Amino acid sequence: MHILGIETSCDETSAAIIEAHKGDNQVKLLSNIVSSSIPFHAKTGGIIPEIAAREQLKYILPVIDQTLKNVHISEIAAIAVTVGPGLIGSLLVGVETAKTLAWMWNKPIIPVNHLYGHIYANFISPLPAVARDNIIIFPALALIVSGGHTDLVFMKNCSTLQWVSGTRDDAAGEAFDKIGRLLGLPYPAGALIEKLAKTGNQKRFHFPRPLFYKDTLDFSFSGLKTAVLREVEELYKREGKPLSHQTICDLSCATQDAIIAVLVKKTLIAAKKYQVKSILLGGGVAANQTLVEQVKLSALRSALYAKIFFPQKFLCTDNAAMIAATAFFQNKEVPWKDITANPELYFD
Ligand code: KG4
Ligand code: ZN
């Protein structure tokens, strides 16, 4: 069967087609188009919701059209669309478009939780197609690390999900972005902080690792942002000039170290607690190579015999392929009249 996925929860406008057959444990990606309004938001330090939605209105039909032109299939079985969480104006663009297409083509709609999408990005077979030597074995633990969320989720099998813990304040990606702003970096800052951290001096700064020693699987990142702010103010007072490039690299390195240390520690504790056989990473921050390496290393060191999975980079950040993949595994068709956007959607 072929599923058309539509994703417009934040600043991306994306459409994708996946192919899968009943009983498959992964799906094949046939086409995935992503158009982003990020350049409009880079200087303002965050998404401007109205601009994001206006751009999505412009691009949604061309993006779907191009996705369909990329594949040679006779028909699609269903339309999968992100219904939340996200920005209401942005979500509505995708949801209303999906409803219109479902009505016109007489196809069912499968409403998808965007957060599930970041998990199911791990179930999309790699491109270019290569035989995957390791298949996800259950039970599994998923770490979702995106701009808006940081959650640990237990997976009993490929369709049963149970929320374990989440952040008490800022998300990991949000921490990267807010600290990036303090350092004068464009939004979103995560990928750039990773790049700058490579030439940073790891020993120059040390930031607190929130909740690191606390007996909880929760996360908290807002204190880290405050610690970096204090350090930046202190440096400015002492040096009386803008931060040098090297100082920005050193601060990036310390920021990344602090965020990753907490993510890895809580993930490993949860993985042991739930005796999982696989750990899945997902969301924009999962594109961070140091995070992936640290999770692998810590799993080895703690003799946790779990396989580590992470999506290809283009599937870590928001895309419609992961929404179509989720629809395949969570297949819950709903009549188009009953579909509504829900900006506050979380885990059941
Ligand atoms: O999943 P995503 O595309 O959007 C949300 O659903 O929020 O994630 C975007 C987030 C941003 O906060 C961005 O700074 C972060 O992912 N990000 C990274 C990297 N690439 C993107 N954070 C750390 N390292 C990266 N390489
Ligand atoms: Zn996302």
Side-chain angles (χ1 to χ4, degrees):
M1 80 161 84
H2 295 109
I3 299 176
L4 166 67
I6 298 176
E7 154 65 36
T8 62
S9 66
C10 192
D11 53 294
E12 272 88 11
T13 309
S14 178
I17 307 271
I18 59 116
E19 181 181 296
H21 306 279
K22 210 166 179 231
D24 282 358
N25 51 21
Q26 54 181 300
V27 307
K28 195 170 146 196
L29 180 57
L30 301 188
S31 170
N32 183 50
I33 305 280
V34 182
S35 158
S36 172
S37 61
I38 278 289
F40 288 97
H41 314 290
K43 287 192 187 127
T44 53
I47 307 283
I48 304 164
E50 193 186 325
I51 291 186
R54 278 173 190 262
E55 289 302 303
Q56 283 161 325
L57 271 178
K58 256 192 254 170
Y59 288 104
I60 187 74
L61 292 179
V63 162
I64 293 174
D65 190 44
Q66 189 56 52
T67 299
L68 293 170
K69 279 185 182 146
N70 282 355
V71 295
H72 304 285
I73 53 173
S74 50
E75 67 167 341
I76 57 156
I79 300 168
V81 65
T82 303
V83 291
L87 302 168
I88 184 65
S90 295
L91 287 168
L92 281 172
V93 175
V95 168
E96 293 308 309
T97 306
K99 278 165 127 173
T100 311
L101 293 178
W103 175 76
M104 270 170 37
W105 297 341
N106 195 22
K107 297 289 174 197
I109 295 194
I110 303 172
V112 172
N113 181 331
H114 180 87
L115 299 173
Y116 284 39
H118 281 306
I119 298 175
Y120 285 102
N122 285 285
F123 292 71
I124 300 170
S125 60
L127 285 175
V130 287
R132 200 173 186 163
D133 59 348
N134 47 357
I135 296 291
I136 296 167
I137 305 169
F138 296 95
L141 179 79
L143 170 69
I144 304 171
V145 267
S146 70
H149 293 84
T150 301
D151 294 285
L152 283 169
V153 180
F154 176 66
M155 292 182 87
K156 199 168 152 200
N157 51 51
C158 68
S159 57
T160 315
L161 275 62
Q162 180 196 328
W163 181 82
V164 172
S165 65
T167 180
R168 294 182 182 174
D169 40 58
D170 290 351
E174 194 177 355
F176 272 111
D177 297 338
K178 286 181 174 170
I179 293 169
R181 198 174 177 183
L182 293 175
L183 303 181
L185 305 176
Y187 174 89
L192 189 52
I193 288 182
E194 177 181 18
K195 194 171 158 216
L196 296 171
K198 288 192 200 323
T199 49
N201 173 357
Q202 218 169 3
K203 296 199 177 116
R204 185 166 167 205
F205 301 104
H206 182 88
F207 293 127
R209 278 112 168 92
L211 301 182
F212 194 82
Y213 294 107
K214 291 268 176 346
D215 184 21
T216 172
L217 290 174
D218 287 354
F219 302 91
S220 163
F221 292 107
S222 66
L224 174 63
K225 177 192 62 200
T226 313
V228 179
L229 174 65
R230 270 200 217 109
E231 188 64 59
V232 169
E233 284 173 347
E234 198 55 39
L235 282 165
Y236 191 75
K237 245 191 260 163
R238 232 182 301 144
E239 296 176 10
K241 57 178 171 52
L243 303 176
S244 69
H245 177 72
Q246 189 55 49
T247 298
I248 295 175
C249 293
D250 299 344
L251 288 166
S252 296
C253 191
T255 297
Q256 180 173 272
D257 280 357
I259 295 174
I260 289 178
V262 179
L263 292 175
V264 172
K265 169 131 189 209
K266 302 292 174 186
T267 304
L268 268 285
I269 294 175
K272 277 197 170 163
K273 180 176 170 188
Y274 288 88
Q275 306 258 300
V276 299
K277 299 203 169 74
S278 308
I279 296 177
L280 322 181
L281 308 178
V285 182
N288 187 299
Q289 211 46 45
T290 312
L291 171 66
V292 173
E293 298 306 329
Q294 289 295 322
V295 173
K296 281 184 183 169
L297 200 68
S298 302
L300 267 180
R301 277 197 191 133
S302 59
L304 180 77
Y305 300 107
K307 288 182 175 174
I308 317 298
F309 294 84
F310 51 95
Q312 283 177 280
K313 273 196 179 181
F314 76 100
L315 295 172
C316 286
T317 44
D318 292 349
N319 65 85
M322 67 185 198
I323 302 306
T326 306
F328 175 70
F329 290 102
Q330 291 278 325
N331 203 332
K332 289 176 190 145
E333 292 178 13
V334 174
W336 67 265
K337 283 181 200 146
D338 298 338
I339 305 271
T340 47
N342 179 359
E344 309 300 332
L345 189 65
Y346 198 36
F347 287 90
D348 299 334

